[in-house]
Amino acid sequence: MLFLSNLIVQMSDSLVIIPTYNEIENIADIIQAVFSQEKDFHILVVDDNSPDGTAAEVEKRQKTYPGALHLERRAGKSGLGTAYIHGFKWALERHYDFIFEMDADFSHDPKDLIRLYNACATQGAGMSIGSRYSIGVNVVNWSMKRVLMSYFASKYVRLITRIPIHDTTAGFVCYRRHVLDFIDLDKIRFVGYAFQIELKFKVWKSGFDIKEVSVIFTDRSKGKSKMSGSIFSEAIFGVITMKWRSFFSKIKKYEA
Ligand SMILES: Nc1nc2c(ncn2[C@@H]2O[C@H](COP(=O)(O)OP(=O)(O)O)[C@@H](O)[C@H]2O)c(=O)[nH]1
Ligand SMILES: [Mg+2]
């Protein structure tokens, strides 16, 4: 029976990628929360050798979730963007059809995973985005300064790029496999919020349908944010560079 239940677990079509750096206070709970959802999701944690032992905590739990909880360890802190690229490639080498981005810190509610999944699986989107700004501003516990920065950064990106998305820096996302397969992941250049913008821009320019699903984003209650001034300015200046480049090298359209 155990064998049978393992087989069932191993057959999930969905992989949730969680990048981690010093998330020891959150990692066990977030794993548990994802595995408590009604739909079976698999998890890949991409840890950058967190000094607090996040990876060891994941390893401990792998025995409880054989075949469903995966861990990739990288040598050192190399940024969220490259952690996701690593995770996407890992997922594409396997059978997953729906590939998710999610933070470890409960800012993204695991209950919304199924809503993102449905937007792709039943409503035909190539990419769905857990959006803070599609209906008003759905952010809880951030300082007013950070809400304003994030909100106006999103507006700014929309203005420069013309991308029809309200939350352009969102990091709660579901992709259909063929979308990530089509995008040239080796050409993604940015690391922080700019990485999130760049991917959305390329997916949109390639002609895929993107759906925003309204979610409530809650600031972390445990652990520390890794957001920094340099990540923010990468986004602000990166958008201009990205737009400029797009005039010279056209992004290929996907043909189904
Ligand atoms: N692997 C990896 N994960 C990272 C890195 N920087 C941030 N993260 C993770 O990415 C997620 C979002 O980071 P967070 O600090 O919460 O950013 P914020 O939500 O913008 O304040 C969390 O799960 C972090 O642990 C990194 O350099 N490498
Ligand atoms: Mg966070």
Side-chain angles (χ1 to χ4, degrees), residues 103 105 107 220:
D103 289 358
D105 59 2
S107 284
R220 60 163 77 236

Side-chain angles (χ1 to χ4, degrees), residues 19 21 23 46 48 77 79-80 104-105 146 193 220 225-226:
Y21 192 75
E23 297 290 358
V46 182
D48 281 1
K77 189 173 185 326
L80 183 90
D105 59 2
R146 200 161 171 199
Y193 291 119
R220 60 163 77 236
S225 167
K226 285 99 211 167

